[in-house]
Amino acid sequence: MDRIFGNRNSPHLFYSVLFPMYDNDFESFVDACDNVVQPIVEAISCTDYIGRAWFHPKYNADVVGHSSVIAGHSVPHKMVMKFIIQTINGPRDGITYDDVSNANNKVRMTPHATINILRRSQLNAAAQYEKKLGEKKPVPNSIYVRNTLKIMGIHRERGNDVG
């Protein structure tokens, strides 16, 4: 991992590893990610170097059954709904929990079962960039709200949404 992600001059900011043999079996894919990949990343002390994100054609956070953030997975539906309620300035008509759940799952859907491995330095650089934006800095957690609303086909004007 150090050879891949330790080199700051490397042009590779992330890697996508496809697992087409899991395309029709979301539960087995989640099992492999949570019980093989994640423990290996932790065992070799790479959590400081890489971020992970799991994607699947049949992604379903309800199958994962999480109520808090778990490495690699989408943010739980209830958290995204809470972020929407906290961040939208204006009417929330037509935004139901079921719609949010469906959209939140779609955020993690890809044509093939995929693990994205991201350089932690890139994630940190993005956070540092946001800090420098001052008043233009995005509202915390607004990315989840924007992604979900976009998938739901709900577009808000700046100032009447999440910033």
Side-chain angles (χ1 to χ4, degrees), residues 10-94:
S10 171
H12 306 290
L13 304 179
F14 71 93
Y15 291 85
S16 292
V17 184
L18 278 63
F19 296 90
M21 70 287 272
Y22 287 112
D23 284 356
N24 293 311
D25 190 353
F26 178 64
E27 289 183 37
S28 293
F29 178 69
V30 168
D31 185 56
C33 291
D34 291 348
N35 298 311
V36 178
V37 176
Q38 185 60 26
I40 289 171
V41 169
E42 292 171 5
I44 61 175
S45 300
C46 281
T47 56
D48 290 342
Y49 300 104
I50 64 171
R52 287 98 36 231
W54 323 139
F55 295 88
H56 194 276
K58 298 178 181 180
Y59 195 92
N60 185 340
D62 293 325
V63 170
V64 177
H66 62 311
S67 59
S68 60
V69 176
I70 299 175
H73 287 287
S74 69
V75 173
H77 304 321
K78 286 183 181 179
M79 290 178 77
V80 174
M81 188 69 183
K82 180 180 173 184
F83 298 154
I84 288 172
I85 291 168
Q86 291 173 339
T87 57
I88 289 183
N89 300 318
R92 291 186 293 275
D93 298 341

